[in-house]
């Protein structure tokens, strides 16, 4: 273990900056930055214990690193001097918060303790009034929960009990005597003595924050969000300011723009006479920030000004936490706002128009992977429905399903294939699995910054929060809104863009692309160098793809048109044919079908490149299922059916053709080598279709005929000869035609230079390349992969995001050596990875010309390609 002797483990806020987030955590780094930008009067003073100290503490099995205690004591001394108060001073105590803060924000996952430094004596020094006792009871409560692990519910019960005895309904109505009694009751809930010594309190709180890093909640959150376990959390010790000091005090959260729509008006929630944890916990429903204007006009005006300053300084939309103490505003936190796609797009466009950002900077603020939310459905425009209630529009998009009241019920229903809406008073960390399973979420309490709203937006799930009219009875599993009562299993629909909840079966419809989204896409197109095409098998796919801005078809699977249609039988006949005559007859029929089909596709893509892949059917997808067939034979035998003989014959043939491992069997070019007449037929169909389109419309697409699954250069040489011969016979001289290959086997990557001599283009088939390079079967890997992710053997599903060091390296190698042999070799990719932003970054680096993905991911790919180009040009 490395020693930290002589290392600085504690930094005053005045000495940090936003560039130090690895060491100081995001919260510490930004509090330090704000101290510089806004001035020391606006940010309570304090210091940060580094993540390095936390890592050392964990490695030492829970022992504080050497020197830490001394450095904390010194920093505390400086803080006391600045504040002119001492921790634990019975007459005028300094109180501090002890706040966790990792490199990446993990909302609500790590612990924070407020009002530390209070004890039986200093509570009197703080004033001994209602405010002092409210602060003290909060401290005893949080300390007990965070540092001693007493469940939060225990304290909530005691509060409820007290309220009943006092005959009040709100926490704020409890008077000084109630709060004093409550503090005593809290202390009685401890298994040990409450520590009166503030230094002991501080020491325990620092350890508790370190420990919260390895708590179950945080570990689970990191697993889902792929945050490394070895980062550790920083600890921020900060002088307290008090939002609970009366009617001129409040605590709140504020976004520099509307966090749901992105509109320029700042948004947020606040609670008068409260401390911050009341706002985020969702236990009390806060007021909208606009109301603060009337209640505390000066603080509100200043907050608006500060939001603008911070946004300009960080060059991004900000998400802040603040407190007003007796009319005086303090900023406690800022960070780049997580936002739904709608808000991200709106911000990018407005920021450019306002002159805040350049186009490239604006595009870089968008999380491309989330853009598909903009293609989510909404309530159909002219749908009629009766509104059950309206809550806050907390996360956009519409959804419908059966009501469930608990996360486990949501998970179970989803496993049954039922669509559900999770309805809860409010949600907590352990409900997150239910969010995954549900179509949408409704809560009766909490604001737009509540747990439910944050998590739903993070996942792109529709959410209506704070629908206060809903009376939810979790025990009876019923919810009432006015006169309507609904039970578990009843259907509701929600619109997270408007806050509407209805019990009617509303029709959902696809959204139209907003003008802002179109603007962003147009900018992305100017900035990117990678082309974006779509994988499209049918004319319908092709026109959808063009609508979304695809610049061509990167993959048309020539056999896919047959799957699940009446023509599948012809295809099957062809594959099952026992001799050339039989096959010839089937091929003649298929020629006409294919030609007709290609004509439609080519017509839809006039003037653009279209890559048609020659037949690549793993045989099991096209021949009848042997078990089923055997049963039919059995039945035919019993019924003495006339079909018996034919069925038996088919079964024999199926047995002959069956392969143990069809994905590695007679497919792709191997089929072309064994039965050249198949590719010959396809080539004829392609050329005839293109000529027909050319004659009818005066222009035809740039045809790219692609041979799949090539591993030996001679396979391609052979096929190229065949395809060129047919092109000659069909007089393709007027067409723009090129012949290339898929690169989807490791050997092909290694001998890419040899293959390139036979090819006009390569298209990386990264699905098969991932299967064959990793030796994982994509269709069987599910359960195992979950375990691999848990154990962190892999940090991503390699079928979603390219395995950069392995499979990604093969792509780069093949691109490089292929181009060495043939400098004008065109390079593309047509696997699922073509629509994944992280993978797109890799393809940019590999020097590919274009990516191709499903039509719905085309907008994402356009933005991600622009972002890759921006990064490529800004890094040396
Ligand atoms: P989280 O990471 O869960 O948001 P924080 O450390 O930000 O936790 O603390 C939560 C809330 O506690 C803050 O938003 C703020 O309202 C309150 N808080 C933290 N430190 C102070 C402080 N020094 N003075 C007043 N309130 C504080
Ligand atoms: Mg916070
Ligand atoms: Mg393939």
């Amino acid at each position: 273990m490395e020693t930290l002797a002589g290392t600085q483990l504690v930094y005053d806020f005045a000495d940090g900056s936003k560039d130090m987030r690895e060491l100081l955590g995001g919260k510490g780094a930004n509090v330090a930055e704000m101290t510089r930008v806004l001035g020391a009067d606006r940010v309570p003073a304090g210091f940060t214990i580094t993540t390095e100290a936390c890592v050392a503490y964990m490695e030492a099995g829970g022992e504080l690193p050497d020197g830490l205690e001394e450095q904390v004591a010194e920093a505390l001394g400086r803080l006391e001097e600045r504040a002119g108060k001492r921790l634990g001073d019975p007459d005028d105590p300094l109180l501090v918060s002890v706040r966790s803060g990792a490199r990446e924000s993990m909302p609500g996952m790590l612990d924070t303790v407020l009002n530390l430094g209070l004890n039986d004596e200093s509570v009197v020094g703080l004033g001994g009034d209602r405010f002092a006792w409210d602060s003290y009871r909060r401290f005893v409560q949080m300390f007990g929960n965070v540092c001693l692990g007493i469940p939060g519910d225990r304290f909530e019960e005691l509060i409820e009990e007290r309220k009943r005895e006092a005959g009040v309904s709100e926490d704020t109505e409890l008077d000084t005597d109630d709060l004093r009694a409550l503090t005593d009751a809290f202390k009685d809930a401890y298994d040990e003595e409450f520590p009166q010594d503030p230094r002991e309190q501080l020491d325990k709180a620092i350890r508790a924050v370190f420990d919260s890093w390895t708590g179950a909640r945080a570990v689970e959150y990191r697993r889902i969000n792929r945050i490394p376990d070895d980062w550790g959390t920083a600890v921020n010790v900060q002088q307290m300011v008090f939002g609970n000091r009366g009617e001129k005090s409040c605590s709140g959260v504020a976004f520099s723009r509307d966090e749901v729509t992105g509109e320029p008006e700042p948004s947020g929630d606040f609670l008068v006479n409260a401390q911050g944890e009341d706002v985020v916990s969702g236990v009390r429903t806060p007021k909208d920030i606009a109301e603060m204007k009337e209640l505390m006009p000066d603080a509100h005006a200043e907050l608006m000004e500060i939001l603008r300053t911070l946004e300009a300084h960080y060059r991004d939309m900000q998400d802040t936490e603040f407190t007003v103490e007796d009319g005086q505003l303090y900023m406690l936190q800022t960070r780049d706002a997580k936002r739904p796609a709608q808000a991200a797009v709106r911000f990018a466009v407005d920021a450019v128009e306002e002159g805040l950002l350049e186009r490239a900077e604006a595009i870089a603020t968008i999380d491309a992977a989330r853009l598909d939310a903009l293609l989510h459905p909404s309530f159909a425009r002219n749908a009629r429905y009766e509104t059950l209630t309206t809550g806050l529009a907390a996360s956009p998009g519409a959804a419908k399903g059966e009501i469930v009241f608990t996360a486990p019920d949501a998970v179970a229903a989803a496993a049954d294939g039922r669509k559900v809406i999770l309805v809860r008073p409010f949600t907590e960390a352990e409900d997150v699995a239910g969010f995954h399973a549900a179509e949408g979420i409704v809560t009766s309490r909490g604001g737009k910054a509540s747990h439910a709203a944050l998590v739903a937006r993070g996942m792109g799930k529709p959410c209506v929060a704070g629908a206060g009219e809903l009376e939810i009875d979790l025990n009876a599993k019923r919810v009432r809104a006015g006169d309507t009562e609904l039970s578990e299993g009843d259907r509701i629909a929600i619109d997270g863009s408007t806050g509407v909840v209805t019990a009617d079966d509303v029709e959902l419809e696809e959204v139209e692309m907003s003008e802002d989204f179109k603007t962003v896409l147009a900018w992305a197109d100017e900035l990117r160098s990678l082309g974006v095409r779509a994988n499209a098998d049918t004319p319908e796919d092709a026109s959808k793809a063009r609508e979304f801005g695809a610049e061509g078809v990167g993959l048309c699977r020539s056999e896919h048109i047959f799957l699940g249609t009446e023509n599948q039988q012809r295809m099957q006949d062809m594959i099952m044919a026992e001799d050339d005559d039989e096959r010839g007859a089937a091929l003649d029929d298929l020629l006409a079908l294919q030609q007709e089909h290609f004509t439609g596709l080519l017509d839809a893509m006039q003037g653009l490149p279209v890559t048609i892949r020659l037949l690549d059917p793993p045989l099991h997808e096209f021949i009848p299922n042997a078990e089923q067939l055997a049963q039919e034979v059995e039945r035919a035998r019993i019924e003495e059916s006339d079909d018996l003989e034919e069925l038996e014959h088919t079964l024999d043939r199926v047995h002959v053709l069956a392969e143990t491992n069809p994905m590695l069997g007679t497919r792709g070019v191997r089929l072309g080598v064994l039965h050249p007449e198949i590719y010959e037929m396809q080539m004829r169909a392609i050329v005839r279709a293109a000529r027909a389109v050319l004659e009818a419309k005066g222009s035809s697409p740039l045809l790219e005929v692609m041979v799949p699954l090539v591993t030996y250069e001679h396979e391609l040489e052979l096929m190229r000869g065949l395809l060129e011969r047919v092109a000659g016979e069909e007089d393709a001289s007027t067409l723009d035609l090129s012949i290339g290959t898929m690169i989807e086997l490791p050997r092909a990557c290694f001998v890419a230079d040899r293959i390139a001599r036979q090819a006009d283009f390569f298209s990386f088939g990264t699905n098969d390349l991932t299967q064959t390079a990793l030796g994982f079967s994509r269709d069987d890997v599910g359960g195992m992969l979950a375990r691999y992710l848990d154990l962190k053997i892999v940090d991503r599903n390699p079928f979603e995001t390219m395995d950069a060091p392995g499979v990604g390296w093969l792509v780069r190698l093949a691109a490089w050596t292929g181009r060495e042999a043939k400098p004008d070799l065109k390079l593309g990719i047509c696997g699922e990875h073509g629509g994944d932003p992280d993978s797109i970054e890799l393809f940019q680096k590999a020097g590919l010309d274009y990516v191709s993905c499903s039509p719905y991911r085309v907008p994402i790919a356009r933005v991600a390609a622009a972002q890759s180009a921006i990064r490529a040009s800004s890094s040396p």
Side-chain angles (χ1 to χ4, degrees):
M1 194 175 63
E2 73 189 285
T3 163
L4 290 179
T7 310
Q8 184 174 353
L9 299 171
V10 178
Y11 287 76
D12 288 354
F13 291 164
D15 297 335
S17 81
K18 72 174 170 20
D19 303 321
M20 295 168 72
R21 62 185 306 143
E22 287 186 19
L23 196 58
L24 303 181
K27 197 182 289 170
N30 287 325
V31 166
E33 186 79 9
M34 283 201 298
T35 305
R36 278 200 289 122
V37 176
L38 305 176
D41 293 348
R42 283 294 155 270
V43 185
F47 54 87
T48 304
I49 302 168
T50 64
T51 54
E52 219 169 44
C54 176
V55 171
Y57 170 87
M58 293 189 298
E59 282 179 355
E63 256 190 70
L64 296 180
D66 283 349
L68 182 63
E69 275 161 303
E70 293 74 21
Q71 292 189 37
V72 167
E74 284 162 19
L76 184 61
R78 291 191 295 274
L79 178 60
E80 288 176 330
E81 194 157 328
R82 262 200 61 116
K85 295 172 196 262
R86 275 189 314 104
L87 193 70
D89 184 338
D91 298 326
D92 183 17
L94 169 71
L95 302 187
V96 295
S97 62
V98 178
R99 317 173 62 189
S100 56
R103 206 187 288 188
E104 298 270 326
S105 95
M106 297 168 56
M109 292 298 143
L110 304 172
D111 289 326
T112 287
V113 180
L114 304 182
N115 309 328
L116 186 141
L118 279 171
N119 57 25
D120 294 349
E121 290 184 343
S122 60
V123 67
V124 181
L126 190 63
D129 52 2
R130 185 190 181 283
F131 153 71
W133 281 99
D134 183 48
S135 304
Y136 193 19
R137 73 90 189 160
R138 285 170 186 272
F139 174 54
V140 179
Q141 179 177 353
M142 289 179 111
F143 188 87
N145 180 233
V146 169
C147 305
L148 305 175
I150 302 167
D153 291 353
R154 182 76 198 100
F155 296 112
E156 292 299 337
E157 280 165 22
L158 291 168
I159 295 176
E160 288 308 315
E161 213 169 279
R162 194 72 231 162
K163 285 199 286 197
R164 259 198 313 277
E165 277 166 30
V168 301
S169 61
E170 297 292 326
D171 296 10
T172 42
E173 292 169 301
L174 293 171
D175 68 16
T176 312
D177 288 338
D178 292 324
L179 292 167
R180 194 197 311 259
L182 205 48
T183 309
D184 285 338
F186 285 177
K187 284 186 196 157
D188 289 342
Y190 281 32
D191 291 330
E192 54 197 77
E193 199 65 22
F194 167 77
Q196 296 282 340
D197 174 9
R199 284 306 309 265
E200 187 187 338
Q201 295 171 355
L202 182 60
D203 183 67
K204 286 213 156 87
I206 291 170
R207 287 167 183 272
V209 172
F210 280 165
D211 289 337
S212 70
W213 178 260
T214 43
R217 259 187 313 169
V219 170
E220 176 66 6
Y221 182 90
R222 287 199 293 276
R223 201 182 59 78
I224 294 174
N225 292 280
R226 303 193 185 100
I227 295 175
D229 283 333
D230 56 11
W231 282 359
T233 177
V235 182
N236 302 286
V237 177
Q238 185 173 31
Q239 181 172 5
M240 281 301 298
V241 289
F242 300 97
N244 57 334
R245 218 187 247 286
E247 296 306 306
K248 287 276 164 249
S249 303
C250 69
S251 291
V253 298
F255 294 82
S256 59
R257 309 196 178 220
D258 189 289
E259 84 273 31
V260 177
T261 63
E263 280 162 37
E265 196 60 28
S267 67
D269 293 332
F270 77 110
L271 273 172
V272 174
N273 199 8
Q275 286 197 328
E277 77 270 14
D278 300 347
V279 185
V280 267
S281 68
V283 174
R284 272 168 72 187
T285 299
K287 291 187 196 307
D288 192 286
I289 204 88
E291 289 181 49
M292 193 180 153
K293 196 169 180 173
E294 273 133 61
L295 295 174
M296 302 169 199
D298 293 346
H300 179 265
E302 200 182 352
L303 177 62
M304 296 299 117
E305 176 71 32
I306 283 177
L307 291 174
R308 271 193 296 278
T309 306
L310 289 175
E311 205 177 65
H313 180 74
Y314 282 94
R315 310 184 72 70
D316 202 349
M317 188 169 151
Q318 295 297 295
D319 166 355
T320 71
E321 294 173 10
F322 67 91
T323 282
V324 175
E325 176 176 347
D326 234 351
Q328 172 71 54
L329 174 71
Y330 296 94
M331 299 306 294
L332 294 172
Q333 190 171 331
T334 193
R335 60 183 171 220
D336 293 347
K338 293 212 170 103
R339 64 207 94 155
Q342 180 190 359
V345 163
R346 174 77 194 253
F347 171 73
V349 172
D350 287 354
V352 171
E353 273 167 17
E354 292 164 21
L356 183 66
L357 300 180
E358 299 293 332
R359 285 179 184 187
E361 288 176 302
I363 295 273
T365 63
I366 295 173
D367 182 350
R370 289 198 188 184
L371 289 172
D372 68 343
L374 292 182
L375 311 161
H376 276 180
S378 63
F379 283 2
R381 207 162 329 157
N382 43 20
R384 280 163 185 258
Y385 55 87
E386 213 168 300
T387 302
L388 192 62
T389 186
T390 304
L392 297 167
S395 179
K400 51 187 186 179
E402 297 169 24
I403 297 176
V404 291
F405 290 99
T406 70
D409 287 346
V411 172
D416 284 355
R418 283 183 290 134
K419 297 191 169 194
V420 295
I421 307 281
L422 179 61
V423 178
R424 307 249 336 138
F426 58 92
T427 64
E428 296 172 280
E430 55 260 35
D431 296 322
V432 170
F435 281 63
H436 278 290
E439 301 294 305
I441 294 93
V442 177
T443 67
S444 59
R445 288 195 248 160
K448 282 190 193 175
S450 64
H451 177 265
L454 287 179
V455 175
R457 286 205 292 276
M459 289 184 192
K461 297 266 178 184
C463 174
V464 174
E469 283 170 1
L470 296 180
E471 290 167 34
I472 300 171
D473 183 343
L474 291 178
N475 291 323
K477 298 201 169 176
R478 271 200 290 271
V479 55
R480 165 179 287 287
D483 299 336
T484 314
E485 191 173 80
L486 300 169
S487 305
E488 187 181 43
D490 289 343
R491 294 182 60 83
I492 54 169
I494 66 168
D495 187 341
S497 317
T498 59
V500 168
V501 179
T502 170
D504 293 342
D505 189 18
V506 190
E507 192 189 329
L508 305 185
E509 77 180 3
E510 305 264 329
V511 282
E512 263 177 51
M513 248 191 240
S514 70
E515 284 309 311
D516 286 338
F517 194 15
K518 286 183 191 157
T519 305
V520 161
L521 288 169
W523 291 344
D525 290 346
E526 280 169 26
L527 291 162
R528 69 187 159 89
S529 52
L530 270 175
V532 178
R533 300 193 192 176
N535 300 344
D537 300 329
T538 64
E540 295 74 51
D541 285 353
S543 27
K544 190 95 228 153
R546 287 197 71 168
E547 214 176 284
F548 286 140
E551 298 158 316
V553 168
L555 176 65
C556 163
R557 286 161 287 210
S558 58
E559 73 281 0
H560 264 232
I561 39 171
F562 296 123
L563 277 179
T565 71
E566 69 233 52
N567 296 325
Q568 182 166 347
Q569 188 56 48
R570 281 324 267 157
M571 186 79 172
Q572 211 173 72
D573 295 346
M574 190 269 288
I575 289 173
M576 308 252 305
E578 275 170 87
D579 54 41
D580 291 351
D581 284 351
E582 246 181 60
R583 179 166 295 110
L587 282 172
D588 283 344
D589 292 348
L590 285 177
L591 175 62
L593 288 169
Q594 289 249 286
Q595 183 180 333
E596 183 188 319
H597 172 81
F598 291 139
T599 308
L601 185 76
L602 296 180
D603 194 35
M605 299 301 289
Q606 275 177 63
L608 297 176
V610 175
T611 310
I612 298 175
R613 183 182 70 185
L614 298 175
L615 197 66
D616 179 20
L619 284 179
H620 65 300
E621 287 180 14
F622 284 92
I623 61 178
N625 180 290
E627 259 168 61
Q628 243 170 3
L629 199 57
Q631 280 175 8
E632 279 177 46
V633 168
E634 205 45 44
R635 202 174 313 129
R637 187 168 297 143
I638 293 165
E639 292 169 3
E640 296 179 11
S641 153
D642 295 343
D643 299 337
L644 179 61
E645 200 173 329
E646 199 188 322
L647 281 169
E648 278 179 332
H649 185 76
T650 315
L651 183 59
D652 285 346
R653 190 70 192 140
V654 166
H655 282 141
V656 170
L657 288 172
E659 292 176 329
T660 315
N661 204 340
M663 291 307 280
L664 298 175
T666 315
R667 52 177 285 216
V669 69
R670 300 161 193 179
L671 211 58
V673 170
L674 295 181
H675 307 295
E677 60 278 19
I678 300 177
Y679 281 5
E680 201 176 311
M681 173 279 287
Q682 288 198 294
M683 187 62 176
R684 260 183 235 293
I686 293 168
V687 173
R688 287 180 191 177
R691 285 193 44 179
V693 172
L694 180 65
E695 270 152 39
K697 300 285 168 72
S699 96
S700 129
L702 318 173
L703 272 183
E704 296 170 347
V705 176
M706 177 157 82
V707 181
L709 218 75
V710 165
T711 195
Y712 295 104
E713 56 275 31
H714 292 305
E715 290 170 326
L716 188 59
E717 191 181 6
L718 213 60
M719 289 304 109
R720 189 176 183 101
L722 174 143
L723 297 172
E724 283 176 344
R725 173 175 59 74
V726 176
E729 287 166 12
E730 296 292 330
D731 189 11
S733 58
T734 50
L735 300 175
D736 191 322
L737 174 71
S738 56
I739 294 169
T741 180
M742 286 200 55
I743 298 288
E744 50 190 339
L745 293 169
R747 186 183 191 277
C749 296
F750 290 119
V751 300
D753 53 339
R754 298 169 185 229
I755 294 180
R757 293 193 190 100
Q758 307 297 331
D760 303 323
F761 65 88
F762 284 173
S763 177
F764 290 93
T766 53
N767 301 341
D768 271 309
L769 187 58
T770 299
Q771 295 206 90
T772 53
L774 300 180
F776 281 155
S777 154
R778 183 172 58 157
D779 302 325
D780 305 310
V781 80
M784 181 179 65
L785 201 58
R787 194 82 184 103
Y788 267 47
L789 286 163
D790 264 352
L791 294 172
K792 300 200 188 311
I793 295 171
V794 295
D795 63 354
R796 296 291 188 92
N797 176 345
F799 292 100
E800 280 167 19
T801 298
M802 283 293 281
D803 163 50
V807 188
W809 169 246
L810 287 174
V811 170
R812 297 181 77 167
L813 173 71
W816 168 35
T817 54
R819 281 243 174 87
E820 222 167 45
K822 185 175 272 184
D824 62 349
L825 186 70
K826 199 193 289 183
L827 298 173
I829 128 95
C830 63
E832 299 295 321
H833 303 95
D836 172 66
D838 289 333
S839 308
I840 288 174
E841 173 111 36
L842 186 147
F843 300 135
Q844 169 96 31
K845 287 196 186 125
L848 304 198
D849 295 305
Y850 70 86
V851 297
S852 185
C853 54
S854 80
Y856 278 93
R857 294 198 72 86
V858 165
I860 296 175
R862 287 161 73 191
V863 172
Q867 292 174 333
S868 301
I870 293 163
R871 275 193 290 269
S873 69
S874 63
S875 65

